[in-house]
Amino acid sequence: MTEKTIKLTIDNQEVQTEAGQTILDVAKSLSIEIPTLCYHPAVPSAGACRICVVEITAGARGGLVPACSYPAQDGLEIQTDSERVRQSRKMTLQLLLARSPGAKIIREMAEQYGCEELPLERKDDDCIMCGLCVRVCQQIIGTAAVCFAGRGPDREVSTPYKLLSDVCIGCGACAFVCPTGAIDPAEFCSNPLEKIANEFNCGIDNRTPVHIPFPQAVPNKPVLDRDNCIHFRTGGCGVCKETCPAGAIDYEMEDQVVEEDVGAIIVATGYKLFDTKVFEEYGYGKYPDVVSSLEFERMVSASGPTDGQLYRPSDGKEPKTIVFLQCIGSRREKGGVPYCSKICCMYTAKHTILYKHKVHDGQAFVFYMDIRSAGKNYEEFVRRVLTEKMATYLRGRVSKVFPRNGKLVVRGADTLSGGQVEISADMVVLAPAMQPSPGVQELAQKLRVGYDQHGFLLEAHPKLRPVETNTAGIFLAGACHSPQDIPDCVAQASAAASKALGLVSHKQLTREPTIGVVNELSCNGCFECENVCAYKAIEHKELRDRAGNLTAILAHINEGLCQGCGACAVTCRSKSIEVQGYRDDQMFAEINAIGR
Amino acid sequence: MSANGTITQALREAAAQMLSDKKVGVVIGYGRDEGQEFSTPVFLRKAEEVERLVFDDLCFGNLAVYLSRPAIRKMGKTGIVVKGCDLRAVNVLLRENVIKREDVLLIGVHCGGLGEPRLPKCLVCEVHSPTGCDVVVGEAIEQPEVKAEQRYTKADEIEAKPVEQRWEFWQKQLSKCIRCYACRQVCPLCYCKRCIIEKNTPQWVETSPHVRGNLAWHVARALHLTGRCVGCGECERVCPMDIPLGAINQKMAKVVDERFGFRSGFSAEDEAPFTTFSTEDSEEGIL
Amino acid sequence: MSKEQQNKSEKSQWQPRIVAFLCNWCSYAGADLAGMSRRGYPAAIKVIRVPCSGKVDPMFVLKSFERGADMVLVSGCHPGDCHYASGNYHARRKLLAFRELLDFLGIDQRRFKISWVSAAEGAKWSSLVKEITAEAQALGPFETFATMLQGEPS
Amino acid sequence: MTVATRLANAGDLASLRRKILADRESTKIAISVCAGTGCRAQGSMELFEEFQRELQNQDLTDVEVRATGCHGFCEQGPLVVIFPRKIFYRGVKVKDVCRVVEKTIRNDEVIDSLLFKDPATKKKCLLENEVPFYAKQQRIVFRNNGKIDPTEIDDYIAADGYAALAKALTEMSAEQVIGEVSQAGLRGRGGGGFPTGRKWDICRSQPGDEKYVICNGDEGDPGAFMDRSIMEGDPNSVLEGMTIGAYAIGASKGYVYVRAEYPLAVTNLLIALEQSRSLGLLGENILGSDFSFDVEIVRGAGAFVCGEETALIASVQGDIGSPQQRPPYPAQAGLWGKPTNINNVETWANVPVIIDKGSKWFAGMGTEHSKGTKVFSLVGKVLNTGLVEVPMGTTLREIVYDIGGGIPKKRKFKAVQTGGPSGGCIPESLLDLPVDFEKLTEAGGMMGSGGLIVMDERTCMVDVAKYFLAFLVDESCGKCSPCREGVMQMHSVLCRIVEGRGREGDIELLEQLAAYVKESSLCQLGGTSPNPVLSTLRHFRNEYEAHIKDKKCPAGVCKALVQFEVDAELCKGCGLCLRDCPTEAVIGEKKQPHKIDSELCIKCGLCYEDCPFDAVVAK
């Protein structure tokens, strides 16, 4: 068909566009709002739900036609919001509401169109039979695991003979396009895709293989998780590629190893939380209502999985009594880490305030050893929590947490009153110790940076060079160095950044003078020094006589590369190499001094 | 004609051939003028001189020592008669870039062992037939199987003594050393332009022939030859004071063999043990 | 006083002289940390700082003995932690071979110690020094070497 | 059948026809036994075999017995017509066979008891065309039904079969054929009434050379069986029509979509296919021309919705039969996406006649806009149930009374339902309405497939509307919300009304729902489904109000609203109702007036229906 342009008017707006589009497409281009239910840009339209009907006033057989599938033709005059259209949509919604009172989208649309109660026969089936799931499965994914069964009012979406489907690849495309969320592939797929826990939200909610890791991600773009993506597991699906307007998805892309010559490296590998499952006495991992402070943080966060509402993971109710346990794993020789994780006291105080805002009649308790509020205005902050009775602070350790008729009993000591305390709580929040991120030891060895027995990286000097390491050009920032809260991390980060800039901004590199020098008179050119040099700093230097012919090839040290370790000096039999500052005579002088 | 006779004849032809074709600037071999009780090295520049070449069981010297001499290097490409033990030394020199393989023509000689009675090194020789040479003369000799414990008998013998006796033994031996440095001069692997002994700022080793300096000197030489000495035995043979220098080098060869499974001189591409490391080296004895 | 008592009393006041070559990034920092965390250790140890344990030439050890050291210690980073990646590996190879040579020449191996002390092991450093000082005390002065040193050139 | 020699050209066909006619002297006696499904159900096949045996016994071997297609007068079946005089015997039983052979065949005597007695004139009719049922009819589509043996192609050729095809292939171009059909004014007999000529022309003008023609034999309307009788009785006429249509449109492949519930039609069609292929009247190079066309039978899966064109196409393609939004129309993109022309069985059957006798002759029949004849299946409360083919313009009164013989049991006519579930009810006041597409639609009915269901006073219009909606609730494909939800809701409102739970405002709700479903549904099934309700509301609103306000069912049908009692004066005590009553609710002595015990009475209505004296009254 030739690319012919057509002219039509929608809501008295004249528009010229190419043929081959539907009325909905043209309306969208004029940003005219037409409601849809059984339409999805990636799925061929069916014109089933009839909510998108518009009125043709001229140019074709008049009457109501579905905008999603009626082709835009030359000379058409269309009204998208006439009284006849509103009445039809209203009745469609009345009928769908009678069929699916529970469907949120239908309720919202019905309100929008002012539907009132009609004496209709009520049903309670969330599925509005729009057919999107069937069409996406048949025509996009190509598996055709679900189809329509039956006819008329008892028509339903199901697998053949309602049996578990063995062709369904569990891609979840049907659930993705379903307007009312009525379909759940887990019910009929024989190899259901396990739900993918959302790592950032500590597994409280789930995520799809294509997802934006977390709201503040930089760049704030979705990423494709190959292990769980159906296309990579079975070759099917491919919906994301089709619907991406920017065509940004390319399944053939491979990981690339990018080698970059850099002047400086800032190590900021952050921290992870101690796995408190090892302490059976607290029951983390055994009782669902025992959560970590990170999970609690995510739950009370407005952009979190529960939109800021606090629910008990076991039964979804709002916790009325909550107990915060400090120093779980921290300051603990056996089984934990000996150091104090520094930030838990402050964020727990913050959590008690947040809890008070969320659950006004709630009661919070905090078991602590000592409150470490050593930052600016930190002590005043904790003082406010105490004075305004946000929480009851109990000084003492907790010995056991165990369930009793629906609640969690927290048994601990209260050293100030000298007795033992038992609190039956709805939820227990543990403040786990901070540890360096996994894999930081291997990184440190690769970068030749020192680290302590806990895995925190070693600074060059705690007082004089806190953000630098022993290896020139490598700097530290944040929790990889030691447990730190955000203000400290930010301060350190800016320090490390300025140190790095200081390093790379000069034309020349200032560095330790203690490097090797070759005495060309005695060097035999055996180059055994070259074999032992870890930095490849030994070069072959050609000596020529005045006539230009080669007299000898001797060793020469590249000042930029040599780090002054002295391995070559020891290997050289003729002692032709010496390290500045540790010359043989200087060493002998020291030995002689000790000898006398 | 005895076996050596035929070899001598073959050597002369090979040398004549090389010299007349101008393939080499000089051929280093063994000569035997009247009245000498062992064959001395000869340096032939012209084809006619080949008659001086001879091979008998007195050709002890390790001719490889001359390869590193600047005078010889100036003569251009060098032909050299090598027995198996000499060849091992040549391999070390090749590895240490003293000479390039294309600058030397190796004339290998099948040697069944020299000296009456046999030199100790020939009894445990594993290289009767030299390999990788340009020319080989003489018949191939059947190579007896040499077991590991036979290799380091001298060192084992001393090591068996208790530590005090060992100390006494070496104090006595080393005090004899007159620092004539013959051991250094004869060793093909001691080719340094300026030996550590001649360095006096700082003075690594006392130069007076006092046992204190002697110990330091022989320790230094032992360390410098660890993983390089091929056990040609020349240092011990020439030592005027008959100090069992071979034992020290044998001990270090044994250490390197046991610890790193390395034996020097069998290839020109291997890595000297002290110029490399392995993360799996034994940590035994480290606190 | 009997000879033994004399010796013992002599020994008791006699302070061994231990020369310690410490690698600058690990052992030297470890010793520094021990100091900073107020951990004491015997003064018999005389520390020489070297960039890396790989920089300790066996001849330095011999020179130390010649200069009257009763015991020599070389301490560096744990294998894998070396600031220069392979320095301590070369040191391990060379110094252990050298110790066998000393033993072969009749010198008591116990007088030459090698150890790994990391920058964070202040505690290990101080206990190590206490331990080797006690051993040096037990071994007593290095007479055999001393007599050799005073002997006349032959 | 003569040995099948392939006809090389039109000439061969003509000479074959002459040869067949020559073999059959027209004077020879032939017994035609109706073998349509209706008469078969009444045992006409046993009759046929009995005739054959009897003729054998009486060695009348030269008399031919023929099992023909449906004669049309199903009420009086099984029917036997004796040629050449066309003596019309009705209600023939196996035991009558020897009498018929003995008297009528051998001695040309007429058996009076088998003749049809006209109730109005009380006179016996001897010949077929004397019977009033046939008198007013004009049989074009049914020209061969009852005369030829559908399984013998020779019979069809003898009756000028395939002459039109030969004429079209040899003398006419495709455009001329379309011109003839257009001038004839033929319109779609499936119900839509779309001018067939224009439809062919649109399909012909579409680009692409791969096109299809389809015969829609789904006939889902309850009570309609004219397509079945044509396919069973004269399959070749349909095939000839399709071949001519394919030649006109330029299609090379055709399908006949037959309901799986019509096995006899499928069998006869398959036989006709075999025979026409072997004669070269179908398949490669038909009659030696360069036009090739073949037909395949596809059996429907029992869904009324597959009568709708796009649903039918989906079904042929093997998908679920559910309609597609139009445009694109099937003529533009139909079967496998290619241009496709779909016509009803009756439409195709008209084509050969138009080509044979010319468009002017065809246009002579019918009204100004609706030309030719229409076959109606006259059923319901009418004496002469059967298939009636009358020219367009005939009034309903003529069909119901003159042809249909009026309402049995002297009951009063109430309404006639035209067009099946998509049609509407036409009250007595509009009985003089001439039958044509426009007039019926104006009256709220619809020509539709041609079902004419006559209803008498004892039919409750609300119940009729409920019946049709119940049918549509089951038959809706369920794809689009208006039809799936709207029809079901309307049906549930009607159920409430019929059960006496009707409420104020129900009628307005019905009207609101009906209007919405009519204008928003995706296909015509949904679009026309409110018609039964709308037309009954329009003409019989009072009955609805009676059901809702007075909780009464005037026609005495709706069980929940009716009470049966015996009128003592009228009851003669004959005991018929007492014997019939399934729950012994009737009590009374012989000859004494009976009474009905309302507790036991389940209101089945049997007594009310059967009482010869109408003594049972509904309160």
Side-chain angles (χ1 to χ4, degrees), chain B residues 231-247:
Chain B
C232 70
E234 285 299 279
C235 53
E236 185 160 339
R237 188 176 65 78
V238 301
C239 174
M241 309 306 287
D242 294 332
I243 303 171
L245 297 174

Side-chain angles (χ1 to χ4, degrees), chain B residues 14-71:
Chain B
Q17 179 70 24
M18 277 184 208
L19 284 167
S20 56
D21 299 352
K22 289 279 180 287
K23 269 208 243 136
V24 287
V26 64
V27 169
I28 309 170
Y30 298 99
R32 182 81 180 291
D33 302 341
E34 309 77 20
Q36 286 176 308
E37 81 280 13
F38 61 88
S39 319
T40 58
V42 289
F43 301 88
L44 313 176
R45 302 299 301 275
K46 288 196 273 323
E48 304 73 32
E49 298 167 332
V50 290
E51 299 317 318
R52 299 176 56 201
L53 268 181
V54 73
F55 189 80
D56 51 26
D57 57 7
L58 293 176
C59 301
F60 302 142
N62 187 341
L63 300 178
V65 71
Y66 296 109
L67 288 177
S68 56
R69 295 296 181 265

Side-chain angles (χ1 to χ4, degrees), chain A residues 24 51 105 123 153 157 170 177 186 188 228 308 324 359-360 364 404 444 464 484 498 509 555 582 593:
Chain A
L24 186 62
I51 192 67
I105 187 167
K123 255 199 198 163
V157 173
V177 292
F188 53 80
N228 292 309
F324 293 89
V359 184
H360 298 297
R404 189 165 60 193
L464 305 180
Q484 283 177 13
S498 54
L509 196 65
Y582 297 90

Side-chain angles (χ1 to χ4, degrees), chain B residues 65-278:
Chain B
V65 71
Y66 296 109
L67 288 177
S68 56
R69 295 296 181 265
I72 297 290
R73 293 269 43 76
K74 280 201 191 65
M75 293 176 187
K77 289 186 70 133
T78 324
I80 180 171
V81 173
V82 281
K83 305 191 289 300
C85 43
D86 310 337
L87 182 62
R88 282 178 64 188
V90 170
N91 278 336
V92 176
L93 292 179
L94 285 172
R95 181 179 78 212
E96 292 174 0
N97 305 314
V98 177
I99 42 170
K100 290 200 193 61
R101 182 66 185 82
E102 59 272 23
D103 291 352
V104 69
L105 258 162
L106 299 171
I107 309 164
V109 176
H110 291 292
C111 157
L114 302 179
E116 288 307 322
R118 278 278 180 282
L119 295 175
K121 66 170 185 181
C122 299
L123 300 174
V124 290
C125 172
E126 294 172 80
V127 279
H128 287 300
S129 321
T131 55
C133 298
D134 299 303
V135 174
V136 183
V137 292
E139 298 80 22
I141 295 156
E142 183 262 340
Q143 172 67 43
E145 209 275 340
V146 175
K147 281 200 279 327
E149 36 303 350
Q150 288 170 296
R151 281 194 209 119
Y152 310 110
T153 47
K154 272 206 239 80
D156 298 343
E157 206 183 291
I158 297 171
E159 211 166 16
K161 296 189 172 106
V163 71
E164 295 77 18
Q165 275 186 27
R166 281 206 301 273
W167 171 258
E168 294 314 325
F169 171 80
W170 286 113
Q171 281 303 306
K172 193 159 75 46
Q173 292 297 341
L174 294 179
S175 58
K176 289 194 298 185
C177 173
I178 57 168
R179 305 296 283 280
C180 68
Y181 300 114
C183 53
R184 180 183 73 182
Q185 291 316 111
V186 81
C187 173
L189 304 180
C190 258
Y191 51 76
C192 285
K193 279 192 255 181
R194 188 206 57 192
C195 175
I196 188 169
I197 291 298
E198 288 137 18
K199 201 166 188 254
N200 55 17
T201 54
Q203 191 188 48
W204 283 78
V205 179
E206 283 177 36
T207 49
S208 60
H210 181 275
V211 71
R212 184 170 57 233
N214 295 353
L215 175 70
W217 159 241
H218 284 290
V219 161
R221 227 181 86 75
L223 284 174
H224 285 189
L225 287 172
T226 309
R228 300 175 67 232
C229 168
V230 294
C232 70
E234 285 299 279
C235 53
E236 185 160 339
R237 188 176 65 78
V238 301
C239 174
M241 309 306 287
D242 294 332
I243 303 171
L245 297 174
I248 302 178
N249 293 336
Q250 232 182 41
K251 166 62 184 172
M252 291 319 285
K254 180 182 173 194
V255 162
V256 158
D257 191 355
E258 277 164 3
R259 278 185 179 273
F260 317 121
F262 177 83
R263 290 175 63 236
S264 175
F266 282 92
S267 127
E269 276 78 36
D270 56 12
E271 271 184 332
F274 276 0
T275 66
T276 179
F277 66 91
S278 151

